Amino acid sequence: MSPRAYPPPPSVHYAATVAGLPRLDGRTVAITGSTSGTGAVLARTAGRLGARLLLLNRASERADASLATLTADGVAATAIACDLQSFASVRAAGPAILAAAPDGIDVLCNNAGVMGLPDTATVDGCDVQMQTNHLSHFLLTSLVWPALRTAADARGEARVVNHSSGARRGRPLEARYMEAHGGDLGGDGFPGFAKWRRYQQSKLANLMFTYALSERMPEADKAHGIKALAAHPGPTNSGLQAKTAQAGGTRLLDRYILTRTLKVAHSVEDGALGIIRASLDPTAEDGQFYGPAERGEPGEAVLLPAERDEASERLLWDVSSATCGIDEYFESPAAR
Ligand SMILES: NC(=O)c1ccc[n+]([C@@H]2O[C@H](COP(=O)([O-])OP(=O)(O)OC[C@H]3O[C@@H](n4cnc5c(N)ncnc54)[C@H](OP(=O)(O)O)[C@@H]3O)[C@@H](O)[C@H]2O)c1
């Protein structure tokens, strides 16, 4: 089965949405996963609107190409190595990001992700999907929080945007998926549901993190304009599906999910509109969630109803903090 069998669809909504966005001169936008897909579109879009970019990718030729392409397009971009499969790499990226953004970070878009990977442990012992998609973003956000404060103080707002998925639905969060049980979370046997359960949990974590962050951030930070938002792209023809197949996602269920996604998918530009609106739309508010409205279908990125779940939010915060080794998530706002 080739996930490339479906050609990229034309963009329907992208141009009109982007035409309504303001200039971003003097703003800094940090993005995880700019090498392809929705992260590449957000980077190009924000860069062309005048933002300075921080590209947070794991080191690779794809990361080098992302920087080269944006720079050739006249965008001011800085690359900082950040491998989301390693807490040590994320911890090393934190100070480098703060040093590269002395005027603050206006938008941190936690976009990068992997999907449907085998039941494998990272070097930190966590599930590869949960650590890449959620835990490392949870840690990264805590490390760059001072830069969000700097931007909010200087320019009246700053945003954290998390990229969820239509696959978030199914079951409430369970602690074991966010703990160090990588390689012991259901395996990859017939019929292959377990890998998609692990993906579901990681994508639900993205949304629950958004609500938990909004709820728990210090009042002073909220008053200064820091916002937590989420988006989901809808089925999108990006680099994601090919990587699932390359990693061994060839069982009947894998083939069904990948084929169904690509058959109905919209373009990567239209798929990026959720994170584009959450990151750059001046009307977006704290706690909001953007994406196509119809379950499993492509469509315009619209404001979606909230999906608050206090039990999952509390579990997410407590377990993620413990797994990432974070004692105090926010430094005292009095230090500002
Ligand atoms: N496409 C869809 O239908 C769909 C649907 C729902 C949700 N999403 C979500 O949308 C987001 C973007 O995915 P996409 O569709 O744009 O896929 P994509 O084209 O594969 O992009 C994923 C990005 O994540 C990066 N990444 C993966 N592992 C990483 C790591 N360990 N450290 C740093 N970066 C890493 C990739 O970089 P490398 O070049 O290093 O691999 C790439 O830049 C993901 O969070 C995904 O879950 C996508």
Side-chain angles (χ1 to χ4, degrees), residues 33 35-38 58 62 83-84 111 199 203 236 238-239 243:
T35 63
S36 65
T38 56
R58 53 183 165 179
R62 283 160 56 82
D83 183 349
L84 300 168
N111 159 76
Y199 184 64
K203 292 285 108 181
T236 301
S238 69
K243 290 179 200 163

Side-chain angles (χ1 to χ4, degrees), residues 212-335:
L213 184 63
S214 171
E215 188 79 25
R216 285 159 179 75
M217 77 172 75
E219 272 309 314
D221 289 341
K222 208 177 263 286
H224 278 75
I226 303 186
K227 302 170 180 175
L229 302 100
H232 83 96
T236 301
N237 191 325
S238 69
L240 199 62
Q241 295 84 12
K243 290 179 200 163
T244 305
Q246 279 159 14
T250 54
R251 290 179 181 279
L252 197 60
L253 180 62
D254 303 328
R255 293 209 307 270
Y256 170 76
I257 291 173
L258 299 181
T259 304
R260 197 270 170 195
T261 301
L262 289 171
K263 199 171 176 180
V264 302
H266 53 186
S267 73
V268 74
E269 287 185 331
D270 284 349
L273 287 178
I275 52 170
I276 287 174
R277 286 202 65 191
S279 300
L280 310 179
D281 186 330
T283 68
E285 295 294 340
D286 179 45
Q288 289 185 338
F289 180 31
Y290 290 87
E294 294 303 322
R295 190 173 178 173
E297 299 297 329
E300 194 174 358
V302 297
L303 178 59
L304 299 169
E307 297 178 19
R308 298 293 305 263
D309 173 351
E310 284 179 28
S312 285
E313 292 166 31
R314 196 176 320 111
L315 186 76
L316 173 129
W317 197 265
D318 293 347
V319 178
S320 301
S321 297
T323 303
C324 294
I326 301 173
D327 295 328
E328 290 284 332
Y329 197 84
F330 306 102
E331 67 176 37
S332 165

